Structure formats: C-alpha cells, structure tokens
Amino acid sequence: GNSSEVCRERAVSSILGTDRFGNHIYYNYQFHLEAVPKGATILVLRTEHLAEDWNAAEKVVSGRENILGEDQAIFPHNNVNSNSDEKAKHLSDESRVLVCEKLCNEIQVYKKILSSAINLNEEQMKQSLEELKETCPVEAMAATCGDPLPDITEKLVKGRGYEKEK
C-alpha cells in the first residue's frame, strides 16, 4: 500500500504483540492465555454474543439462569462508534488477507481459548469459527501458522510479575 516502512513495521509488531504502541493490542490473546495457570477454569465472553455468554458464565458460577432478564437491556445490542469514519474502517481484500496472515497465531490462540471455555457449548464454538471464516477463512481452518508464536516470557514477567509455566 501507500504506508511508510515505519508504519508497516509498527503494524506487524502491534499484531504480534511484540512492541507496545498501546495496551489493547500489546496485551493480546497469547498474553492472556499464557498468563493463566495450567488447569485453570476459563470463561469466555464473546463481544458479538455478550448477553448469551454472560448468562452462560453466570450459570456456571452461580447456578442462576437468565441473570440479565428477558429483554437483555443491560448491554447495548448495537456497538457503534459514531465518531469513526466508515471509510477508515475499510480494508481492501488484499490488505485483509495480509492482516489475517499476520494474525494467524492470534487466531489459533483464540480458537484454543474458545475450546477451553467451560461456558461455551460445541454449537457456540462452531458459530464463532463460522464467523471467523467470514473474515479470515484460511486462518480459521488452519491448525498451525507459518510463523512460530513469539516468546513472550519477558512480557509476562513485566506485565504480570511471573514467568510462564513450562
């Protein structure tokens, strides 16, 4: 594209979570999963299914069902940022493929998190994978990626104060 080399390098580093240009991308799925002790219980709240997942998590934790009520009015159902320019959100097909390739490891970690979640059933996991296939079909179906996961031991020590388990 038309971006500078510095911009492209920062984009790749951000996607990999190896350099910090803000917290949101730096503390990625890999960071959170590797920081969880082995054998820990994992609950997932998928943004696109927030009320459904919240209720399922609440049932696991407290045994109470439909905690959010019949109308589910506690959460906004339309997560829209009216301050964003729609054109700025658009990626060309070529750019989307490149971003998906760079996100491959994060996508594999995301799938691992989904499969570990005790509040999601098989159908909900399949639904999320189908949604993922709409954007990143190759990576959604892949079991491995061309690049290895980065070693984030130092990031875990700095961010959480402990090393990842071996």
Side-chain angles (χ1 to χ4, degrees):
N2 297 330
S3 60
S4 70
E5 185 63 29
V6 169
C7 185
R8 285 192 293 274
E9 288 173 7
R10 284 186 175 187
V12 170
S13 295
S14 293
I15 287 172
L16 296 176
T18 54
D19 288 315
R20 191 172 184 170
F21 302 104
N23 290 340
H24 188 69
I25 296 173
Y26 183 68
Y27 296 114
N28 54 14
Y29 288 135
Q30 181 190 4
F31 174 82
H32 291 294
L33 184 61
E34 289 189 19
V36 172
K38 293 214 183 318
T41 299
I42 295 176
L43 299 169
V44 167
L45 300 176
R46 301 166 295 163
T47 304
E48 62 278 10
H49 304 285
L50 189 55
E52 175 187 3
D53 292 352
W54 190 282
N55 279 326
E58 185 63 39
K59 184 176 179 183
V60 168
V61 173
S62 73
R64 294 169 51 196
E65 293 191 48
N66 206 19
I67 192 75
L68 300 177
E70 292 300 318
D71 63 359
Q72 311 289 311
I74 293 174
F75 294 114
H77 290 274
N78 192 3
N79 188 4
V80 176
N81 180 350
S82 59
N83 297 324
S84 294
D85 178 9
E86 285 301 315
K87 288 182 193 176
K89 295 180 185 177
H90 177 73
L91 280 178
S92 68
D93 288 341
E94 179 186 11
S95 294
R96 184 188 45 76
V97 168
L98 292 172
V99 170
C100 288
E101 285 175 5
K102 290 299 179 189
L103 283 172
C104 185
N105 280 319
E106 269 298 276
I107 290 169
Q108 303 319 304
V109 174
Y110 172 73
K111 293 184 322 189
K112 186 182 279 188
I113 291 169
L114 288 177
S115 68
S116 300
I118 63 168
N119 64 310
L120 297 183
N121 61 37
E122 191 69 30
E123 190 60 37
Q124 291 166 315
M125 189 173 149
K126 284 181 184 176
Q127 180 183 27
S128 286
L129 291 177
E130 288 301 317
E131 292 164 353
L132 181 57
K133 278 188 216 176
E134 292 174 19
T135 307
C136 296
V138 172
E139 294 74 18
M141 298 303 296
T144 60
C145 303
D147 295 324
L149 274 170
D151 180 355
I152 62 165
T153 303
E154 186 177 321
K155 183 163 85 168
L156 285 166
V157 170
K158 286 180 181 176
R160 297 276 174 121
Y162 54 83
E163 295 187 41
K164 66 182 178 181
E165 294 181 19
K166 306 245 188 268

